[in-house]
Amino acid sequence: MRVIPLASESLGVRSLATFVEASGLKILIDPGVALGPKRYGLPPAKIEIETLQGMRKKLQGYARRADVVTISHYHYDHHTPFFEGLYESASEEYAREIYVGKLLLIKHPRENINFSQRKRAWAFLKNAEPIAKKIEFADGKTFDLGGVTLEFSPAVPHGSEGSKLGFVVMVLIDDNSRLIHASDIQLLNRKAVEWIIEKSPDLLITGGPPTYLGPRASGAWENGIKNLNEIIRETNSEVILDHHIVRDKRYPEFFGELEKKPKTFAGFIKVEDRPLEAYRRELHRIERGEEVELPFRVRR
């Protein structure tokens, strides 16, 4: 199995998009890239917008190669919608190229879903159904695709139990190596943790808790550490950890409290972490010509 992280916060955008080659089958997981429209009360810096544009091109290139596309839920950093938005999607033509001719294995658009995601799922299906090879609602199902098994979890909360952000599905890809992509569970609910432990992956790709939200994420740091350490002890899996946790400048401290040190997407592909959103204030100051120290290089 070959795992290629495509886009994430450590690479400068909101995403957890991943490309997997398993026994000849090419799978694109969560094909979305976006930017936070406001952070610290500020819009994205110029370098964030430039990075977004580059990541879209990268995602588009891998989408052309994919046989299967999976979607864990309908937030815009996890699927590409069919409309032209400032930070969500480049254009309808761009979105079409992501999905045309693909087998789409997607989160159920009507069951275990909140109102906003149900609306997005309806808009997505209206446009995707005429162009996709086939669409399957994947929640809790297993698909045998020529010797590669894709097993999807039942819908689990997007974060803590009772989250108003709805539900997501995780996917296990098994070709004798076992990968779980656990998008937006935030390591905060028992159902997700127990499913991961039961399936015992060799490699876990997951997003950490949204500790950057401050008081609104009360207890997220401690619960995230506790739950991920339990997964590490019970499965001994390698861990790629990124997404929400990397929006917090303190994420290296979070990594340091774990029993096995994870890698970010950037670390996995051996480039430096560039958590642009976490340093948006500093990036705006640099744009104004100020001298600012950053823990990463800003390419101009």
Side-chain angles (χ1 to χ4, degrees), residues 6-157:
L6 298 181
S8 72
E9 275 74 353
S10 71
L11 296 172
V13 295
R14 290 188 172 191
S15 182
L16 207 62
T18 307
F19 189 81
V20 178
E21 295 182 8
S23 299
L25 185 71
K26 297 178 177 63
I27 306 155
L28 178 59
I29 305 173
D30 277 13
V33 291
L35 297 178
K38 289 288 181 185
R39 183 71 193 276
Y40 311 116
L42 296 168
K46 289 177 183 176
I47 191 171
E48 291 182 82
I49 296 169
E50 291 167 2
T51 301
L52 176 71
Q53 293 166 346
M55 290 295 169
R56 283 178 177 161
K57 290 178 183 176
K58 182 179 180 182
L59 181 66
Q60 187 178 49
Y62 277 93
R64 292 187 185 114
R65 297 165 54 185
D67 307 301
V68 180
V69 174
T70 74
I71 294 174
S72 64
H73 64 298
Y74 298 96
H75 287 163
Y76 295 139
D77 50 347
H78 294 275
H79 86 296
T80 295
F82 285 84
F83 66 84
E84 187 165 358
L86 186 56
Y87 306 128
E88 296 89 2
S89 178
S91 67
E92 183 176 338
E93 182 180 350
Y94 171 82
R96 177 184 173 86
E97 190 157 354
I98 303 293
Y99 306 113
V100 66
K102 313 301 183 188
L103 169 61
L104 304 185
L105 305 178
I106 64 175
K107 167 77 186 69
H108 201 293
R110 294 182 297 278
E111 297 176 3
N112 292 308
I113 193 166
N114 64 356
F115 179 72
S116 65
Q117 288 200 58
R118 187 182 293 117
K119 283 175 62 180
R120 294 175 183 184
W122 175 83
F124 171 75
L125 282 171
K126 182 178 71 169
N127 289 281
E129 283 176 334
I131 63 171
K133 180 179 180 181
K134 188 177 183 182
I135 298 178
E136 295 273 5
F137 303 156
D139 307 36
K141 294 181 181 177
T142 299
F143 302 87
D144 185 351
L145 302 175
V148 181
T149 301
L150 273 66
E151 180 179 352
F152 289 81
S153 72
V156 298

Side-chain angles (χ1 to χ4, degrees), residues 152-173:
F152 289 81
S153 72
V156 298
H158 183 295
S160 301
E161 191 70 36
S163 168
K164 294 180 181 179
L165 295 173
F167 297 84
V168 304
V169 292
M170 301 174 282
V171 59
L172 165 66
I173 302 173

